[in-house]
Amino acid sequence: MCDGDAKICTLEEEIAELRRLLRDKEECLRALKIEKTLRNKFSGDLDRDEVVRYSRQLLIPEVGVDGQVALKKGKVLIIGIGGLGCPASLYLASAGVGELTLVDNDVVEISNLHRQVLHDESTVGIPKVLSACEKLKKINPNIKLIPKQLHANSETVKLLLEENQFDVVIDGSDNVATRYLLNDACVLNGVPLVSGSALQFEGQLTVYNYKGGPCYRCLFPTPPPPETVTSCGDGGVLGPVPGMIGVLQALETIKILTKSEGVVAGRLMTFDGADLTFRNIKLRPRSATCAVCGDNPTVKELIDYEQFCGSRADDKVHNISILGADEQIKPDKLDERLLIVDVRPELEYRMCHLPNSVNIPYSKIQSGKALDAIAESLNRNGQEVYVLCRRGNDSQRAIAALKPHLPGVKLINIKGGLHSYSKLVDDHFPVY
Amino acid sequence: MSGLNITIEFGGGAELLFGNKKKQEVILPAKEGEWTLKDLIFWMKDNLLQERPELFIQDDSVRPGILVLVNDADWELMDTVKYVLEAKDKIVFISTLHGG
């Protein structure tokens, strides 16, 4: 953003140009260094730089030279370069895994930075896969990094797994549909899937489709009802929680690549950061009746996972429209004399709110418990009332729920909610 | 005959349906015959559940996406709803997470 200030604009452009120049020179240096270290007469399988760089893990008997060579030959596909994919790829790159393919369709946002540790202020707005590769290259220039800015769906994942023989796939995605997609793709291609997830204070980790263990479908043959699924964007997440799960995904990947014992397959590790407790759960074995990995599979190729799950394969909110045109108004057309009812949760209302608004959470309206009291307070405030929320969806639902109880009041939805308000009226209002 | 003393725990957000309490010690009232996990699930619905039963129960079992554990083992290893509860059992309901 230039903020209309020419000086800022010029400086930003100059810095961007210098960064490009720096990247080119670093790339040139990297190529020269690799060529140089390859000419080495002192060690057989590893070059001089590798022996020094990886010495601390080489010294572990379970790794040793053979393990390090296995890592170097390893090819890992990482889906989602967010809260899980960042720490996972950070440790895998540092450990010298030979080839990492990074997949994510999003660009870096400022609200990612508290947990997505490869990105920083200078990469806000650029694709996450590029931001991540840039950082990883600085840490370890000796590995091959393949950034793929694309949305993981049946076509793209099928192609990725056809083009390359991966040893491990890491699921760092943020939605149910992608989790089923990656599971089926891994089963159909015989690749272990290191699956992690996190929300608020809690994390879960397991390896599917490994050495006769169950797959995701063995555990969850039926997708959860969409209304029971909470995203990090809605429920929130504390950075260290996906951080820890992502680091453990890297650990399990290293163990698989080096053929070590003790991989968390057939088990589920759960972590609750609120009281710092771990659970180590013994899972069922592979199910003979599983639709994809069972004895008579019905899923023999990738399907439409958004349809199967009844939800979209991302963690974005999709807008609804359940009101008539006369019941809605754009935020730049508000009559300032009218009362605004903000139906977001109290916690979000306290984060930021419009000065002339009152907070009646949608959950309260939905539960029906406080309906009469709400109706009364609205009735006192005249004939027309605005209803507002974060994006303009819950406000519509709130109106639909309140309407039958408020025959004398015209409830008007503020279209697009506070996101739209920030865009159209005052961009000082924080978009979160 | 005295009641059956067990521990119920929740994780992954399943606790939100049960007054946000992650751990509850309960005494199941004495009844004729044994307490199965299915009996427990319906007893929880009537006695502990605070809101929206459809987010906990579906078709006489827990809804898809909730993993049930009996003493830290997947209930599939324990005959699922037919498992007969014993005193001091720990039954855990974990909602799977999908965020990252």
Side-chain angles (χ1 to χ4, degrees):
Chain A
M1 280 295 143
C2 288
D3 280 344
D5 186 332
K7 241 180 181 171
I8 292 178
C9 214
T10 314
L11 273 172
E12 280 178 346
E13 276 168 18
E14 284 173 7
I15 290 169
E17 178 55 32
L18 285 170
R19 280 214 180 91
R20 269 194 293 277
L21 205 63
L22 180 66
R23 260 205 300 276
D24 291 348
K25 290 204 183 292
E26 279 174 345
E27 186 58 41
C28 189
L29 178 67
R30 186 181 89 91
L32 284 170
K33 271 186 174 170
I34 288 174
E35 203 184 322
K36 192 168 167 247
T37 49
L38 281 176
R39 290 188 231 109
N40 164 54
K41 59 180 178 183
F42 298 111
S43 57
D45 295 311
L46 302 170
D47 65 42
R48 189 203 60 178
D49 180 64
E50 286 170 327
V51 173
V52 179
R53 177 184 289 264
Y54 306 121
S55 56
R56 296 305 184 269
Q57 68 191 38
L58 274 165
L59 290 168
I60 307 169
E62 287 78 5
V63 179
V65 172
D66 291 344
Q68 192 62 52
V69 170
L71 292 178
K72 189 179 173 179
K73 287 183 182 161
K75 291 182 174 187
V76 177
L77 172 65
I78 305 164
I79 307 284
I81 309 302
L84 300 165
C86 280
S89 55
L90 174 63
Y91 278 88
L92 292 177
S94 310
V97 173
E99 188 179 304
L100 299 178
T101 302
L102 276 55
V103 175
D104 201 309
N105 201 31
D106 290 342
V107 297
V108 179
E109 292 177 29
I110 201 98
S111 65
N112 299 147
L113 300 187
H114 82 118
R115 68 187 189 284
Q116 303 185 12
V117 290
L118 291 176
H119 315 307
D120 59 49
E121 288 234 351
S122 76
T123 61
V124 168
I126 79 165
K128 285 184 180 177
V129 289
L130 297 181
S131 166
C133 283
E134 198 176 313
K135 185 68 65 73
L136 295 174
K137 215 181 288 175
K138 281 184 193 159
I139 296 165
N140 193 348
N142 307 314
I143 59 165
K144 188 173 175 191
L145 295 162
I146 307 172
K148 298 266 188 189
Q149 192 195 356
L150 48 84
H151 182 64
N153 58 35
S154 295
E155 288 74 43
T156 57
V157 167
K158 183 169 183 272
L159 206 62
L160 280 167
L161 291 171
E162 274 171 6
E163 284 171 352
N164 212 336
Q165 183 78 48
F166 294 104
D167 301 295
V168 179
V169 173
I170 292 186
D171 186 348
S173 70
D174 56 16
N175 64 84
V176 184
T178 306
R179 290 185 182 275
Y180 277 97
L181 160 67
L182 295 180
N183 178 71
D184 291 1
C186 282
V187 169
L188 296 173
N189 288 277
V191 185
L193 175 66
V194 180
S195 173
S197 57
L199 187 71
Q200 297 188 341
F201 277 96
E202 289 184 74
Q204 298 172 352
L205 172 83
T206 187
V207 175
Y208 292 118
N209 193 39
Y210 186 66
K211 290 193 177 171
C215 81
Y216 189 54
R217 275 188 195 259
C218 295
L219 251 59
F220 305 108
T222 313
E227 67 271 23
T228 64
V229 176
T230 309
S231 72
C232 292
D234 281 337
V237 63
L238 206 57
V241 175
M244 201 199 64
I245 299 294
V247 170
L248 291 179
Q249 285 181 287
L251 176 68
E252 294 306 297
T253 302
I254 290 171
K255 279 156 65 183
I256 293 170
L257 292 174
T258 57
K259 299 188 168 53
S260 300
E261 298 291 313
V263 172
V264 66
R267 290 184 289 144
L268 171 71
M269 199 252 351
T270 70
F271 167 66
D272 188 344
D275 50 7
L276 212 87
T277 49
F278 291 85
R279 273 200 191 95
N280 192 356
I281 298 155
K282 186 168 189 271
L283 293 176
R284 67 199 72 175
R286 181 184 74 89
S287 162
T289 57
C290 176
V292 66
C293 80
D295 296 340
N296 297 299
T298 51
V299 179
K300 292 173 186 161
E301 55 184 28
L302 298 180
I303 58 170
D304 182 335
Y305 292 90
E306 297 193 336
Q307 193 188 21
F308 174 63
C309 298
S311 57
R312 295 279 293 265
D314 57 41
D315 73 340
K316 312 283 183 286
V317 170
H318 299 280
N319 294 327
I320 59 166
S321 183
I322 55 174
L323 300 177
D326 61 325
E327 295 173 286
Q328 314 215 43
I329 190 166
K330 285 170 100 177
D332 52 350
K333 302 272 188 282
L334 299 183
D335 179 345
E336 282 177 17
R337 292 163 300 180
L338 295 187
L339 175 76
I340 297 175
V341 175
D342 187 328
V343 298
R344 291 174 301 153
E346 188 190 348
L347 185 150
E348 291 181 41
Y349 184 78
R350 287 188 61 189
M351 281 162 57
C352 49
H353 59 260
L354 298 183
N356 52 336
S357 65
V358 297
N359 185 217
I360 303 176
Y362 173 57
S363 59
K364 213 169 167 181
I365 295 168
Q366 200 182 17
S367 72
K369 285 176 197 158
L371 214 51
D372 290 341
I374 294 165
E376 199 180 312
S377 77
L378 290 181
N379 267 323
R380 274 203 303 270
N381 274 288
Q383 299 301 297
E384 288 186 36
V385 177
Y386 293 132
V387 182
L388 173 73
C389 67
R390 187 173 170 192
R391 303 184 185 91
N393 293 320
D394 275 352
S395 53
Q396 294 182 52
R397 296 185 181 105
I399 289 174
L402 287 171
K403 229 181 336 188
H405 305 276
L406 295 165
V409 179
K410 180 154 172 114
L411 299 162
I412 303 162
N413 178 48
I414 300 183
K415 257 180 124 165
L418 289 160
H419 278 200
S420 179
Y421 179 88
S422 183
K423 208 160 143 189
L424 297 175
V425 181
D426 186 350
D427 67 3
H428 288 96
F429 194 90
V431 174
Y432 64 91
Chain B
M1 212 169 107
S2 63
L4 191 62
N5 199 337
I6 62 160
T7 305
I8 300 172
E9 292 185 18
F10 302 98
E15 67 277 9
L16 295 173
L17 299 170
F18 294 89
N20 216 3
K21 270 193 278 184
K22 281 189 176 165
K23 188 174 177 177
Q24 304 197 27
E25 307 264 344
V26 300
I27 298 170
L28 302 174
K31 71 176 184 81
E32 262 184 58
E34 292 154 323
W35 273 92
T36 63
L37 255 178
K38 186 178 168 183
D39 298 333
L40 174 70
I41 290 166
F42 281 88
W43 181 85
M44 287 169 68
K45 178 183 159 236
D46 296 334
N47 293 280
L48 302 179
L49 193 73
Q50 308 270 321
E51 54 188 299
R52 298 195 279 172
E54 72 278 10
L55 299 188
F56 181 60
I57 292 189
Q58 231 178 63
D59 302 331
D60 279 1
S61 186
V62 292
R63 69 147 171 90
I66 293 181
L67 202 60
V68 185
L69 313 178
V70 177
N71 301 321
D72 281 339
D74 186 349
W75 74 339
E76 280 286 332
L77 301 165
M78 310 281 185
D79 221 5
T80 65
V81 285
K82 286 180 239 155
Y83 172 79
V84 177
L85 294 173
E86 291 176 18
K88 293 185 182 162
D89 270 348
K90 183 174 80 172
I91 311 296
V92 184
F93 297 85
I94 293 185
S95 188
T96 48
L97 305 175
H98 308 92

